[in-house]
Amino acid sequence: MPRGQKSKLRAREKRRQARQAQAKTQTQGLEGAQATAAEKGEFSFSAHLFLEGNPLNEVATEVLSTSQEIPSSTSANIGADSGTDSNEGASKQDEESSKALESFRKDPLNKKVVLLVQFMLKKYQSKEPITKADMLKLVIKKYKLHFNEILRRASEHMELAFGIDVKEVDPTRHSYALVSKLDLTLDGMTNEENLPKTGLLMIVLGVIFMKGNCAPEEAIWEVMNMMGVYADKKHLIYGEPKKVITEDLVQLRYLEYRQVPGSDPPRYELLWGPRAHAETSKMRVLEFLAKIYDTVPSAFPVWYEEALRDEEERALARAAARARIAMTAHSRGMAISSSHNK
C-alpha cells in the first residue's frame, strides 16, 4: 500500500477514535454531573432540579395538590408536607435538598411563583391567552416590581416540571403563549394528571438519545435514581414511575418497550415511540437537557451534530411532502379541467 494512503487511513482511524472518546466523555459527563455535584456539595439551582424534596418538586406538588381557584391573598400553602418519609435516614444529599427547600420557602417571591405556575396551567388547559396585565392583577399584585424575576422562575418550572414553554407572542401587549414541548393533542394528555408526565418523558427521551437511540432499561433507572425517582417507590409528582414509563407512555405510543433479543433472564430496552418521533425532535430534547445543565446544546457537539442532521432530514421530508401534495393538487386540477373541456 502506498505510504500516502497508509497515512490517510491512520488519520481517519484517529479521527474515528477521537469521536468515540468524545461521545463517551459526554455521556459520562451528563450521567455523572449530578452525582459529582452531590459529592462536592456544589448544587446549583439547575443541577439539583429533579432531586426529591427540592424546590421544583415543591412547586409542582403544591400546584397539583391545591385548589383550582387562584387565591386572592398573597399567601400560599408553601409549607405543606412534601410527603417524604421522615423515617428514612437523612443523607448528605437529603440535607442539601432540605437546606435548598428551606431557603425556597423563606423567599416570598417563590410563593408568587407557585401561584403563577398554577395560574398558567389553568390557562394552558383552557387554551386561553395570558397577558402581563392579568398576571399582575390576579397573581403578582403588590410584587409587580419583581414581575420579571417571578415570571422567569415560573417559566423555568413550567418547562422543566411540565414540559411547557412560556413564549412572549406580542411584545406590545405583553401577551404570552404556552407551548408544549410535545404536540399533546390526543388521549387527554393535557389534563392535570398527565401534565407532569411530559417533563419525565422528555428526560427519558433524552437518555434514549444519549444511549444511541436505544437505552437499556437499567440505564433509564440509573438516571431516574439520580433524580430521586425509583421504580419501586411512589413519587410525589409522577405517581408510580415504573408504570408511567413502561406502561402509560408506551400505551400512548411515546415510548417503545421491548425485550432484548436472546436475553435470559429477560432484559428490556426503550426506544422512541412513533408519537415521540412525530411530536418532538432530537434538537428539542437536547435543548431541554441543556437547560437542565444550564448550558447550550452545542456544548455537546456529538449529539448536537446528530440533532442538526435530524433537523435537516425532517426539513427535507417536509419539503418532499409539500411537493407531493402540490403535485397531487395540480394533477387533480388538470383532471377536473380536462373533464370540463370534454
Side-chain angles (χ1 to χ4, degrees):
M1 181 182 297
R3 183 178 300 175
Q5 189 172 351
K6 287 183 179 179
S7 299
K8 289 181 180 179
L9 289 174
R10 283 197 296 271
R12 187 181 303 169
E13 178 62 20
K14 286 182 179 179
R15 287 195 297 270
R16 185 186 68 80
Q17 291 175 355
R19 285 195 298 268
Q20 288 180 339
Q22 186 180 38
K24 183 177 180 181
T25 299
Q26 289 177 16
T27 302
Q28 291 173 341
L30 273 181
E31 292 178 346
Q34 289 172 320
T36 301
E39 291 172 0
K40 295 182 178 179
E42 297 174 349
F43 279 92
S44 67
F45 182 70
S46 295
H48 74 285
L49 277 172
F50 296 106
L51 293 177
E52 193 170 15
N54 67 56
L56 178 62
N57 280 350
E58 179 72 12
V59 170
T61 304
E62 181 70 19
V63 166
L64 295 174
S65 63
T66 54
S67 167
Q68 287 297 301
E69 296 298 322
I70 300 297
S72 58
S73 67
T74 58
S75 63
N77 186 24
I78 303 297
D81 182 8
S82 65
T84 52
D85 188 352
S86 59
N87 294 323
E88 293 182 4
S91 64
K92 183 177 180 180
Q93 182 171 296
D94 294 331
E95 291 174 4
E96 293 288 344
S97 296
S98 296
K99 289 177 182 178
L101 187 53
E102 183 180 356
S103 175
F104 173 85
R105 289 172 172 170
K106 286 181 178 179
D107 186 345
L109 296 187
N110 285 327
K111 296 181 180 181
K112 290 300 182 181
V113 171
V114 171
L115 295 179
L116 186 54
V117 170
Q118 186 183 46
F119 176 76
M120 287 179 172
L121 287 176
K122 286 185 64 180
K123 290 291 188 179
Y124 175 75
Q125 291 168 323
S126 61
K127 296 180 172 60
E128 297 177 22
I130 296 177
T131 64
K132 180 178 179 178
D134 285 341
M135 288 187 275
L136 288 172
K137 180 181 178 180
L138 301 174
V139 182
I140 307 298
K141 299 182 179 179
K142 69 178 184 180
Y143 289 90
K144 61 183 180 180
L145 294 178
H146 301 282
F147 171 77
N148 289 337
E149 176 61 18
I150 294 171
L151 179 62
R152 184 193 67 78
R153 296 185 198 179
S155 298
E156 187 171 52
H157 290 308
M158 289 288 288
E159 179 180 6
L160 298 177
F162 302 107
I164 297 173
D165 289 323
V166 181
K167 297 183 177 181
E168 187 173 26
V169 292
D170 187 342
T172 304
R173 294 184 61 248
H174 297 292
S175 61
Y176 298 82
L178 301 178
V179 183
S180 174
K181 289 185 176 295
L182 297 170
D183 181 19
L184 302 178
T185 55
L186 303 174
D187 303 312
M189 277 289 285
T190 57
N191 67 36
E192 188 172 322
E193 178 184 356
N194 283 324
L195 274 173
K197 294 178 184 176
T198 308
L200 187 68
L201 173 60
M202 292 297 287
I203 297 169
V204 175
L205 293 177
V207 176
I208 294 171
F209 177 30
M210 292 190 309
K211 290 293 185 180
N213 303 307
C214 180
E217 183 178 6
E218 52 268 26
I220 299 293
W221 291 113
E222 284 176 9
V223 174
M224 292 293 113
N225 291 350
M226 285 190 282
M227 294 163 43
V229 179
Y230 302 93
D232 57 351
K233 182 179 178 182
K234 191 168 184 178
H235 191 268
L236 299 174
I237 300 171
Y238 305 125
E240 300 178 23
K242 186 172 179 63
K243 180 177 180 296
V244 170
I245 292 173
T246 64
E247 295 182 32
D248 298 348
L249 293 173
V250 172
Q251 290 174 1
L252 290 171
R253 298 184 297 121
Y254 284 111
L255 296 174
E256 181 182 343
Y257 183 65
R258 69 187 187 189
Q259 183 176 340
V260 176
S263 59
D264 185 20
R267 290 183 296 107
Y268 294 86
E269 58 191 9
L270 290 100
L271 301 87
W272 285 31
R275 282 187 67 180
H277 284 290
E279 297 179 13
T280 191
S281 67
K282 292 178 180 179
M283 185 60 76
R284 291 174 73 181
V285 169
L286 188 58
E287 288 170 350
F288 181 81
L289 292 175
K291 180 79 173 182
I292 293 175
Y293 288 92
D294 196 24
T295 186
V296 293
S298 57
F300 311 111
V302 171
W303 297 319
Y304 185 63
E305 288 175 10
E306 183 175 346
L308 284 176
R309 288 195 299 271
D310 181 62
E311 292 293 297
E312 292 173 0
E313 291 169 4
R314 286 171 178 269
L316 290 173
R318 287 192 296 268
R322 286 194 296 269
R324 285 195 299 270
I325 293 172
M327 182 64 71
T328 301
H330 178 72
S331 299
R332 287 177 179 173
M334 292 293 290
I336 293 172
S337 177
S338 176
S339 65
H340 286 170
N341 292 333
K342 289 181 180 180

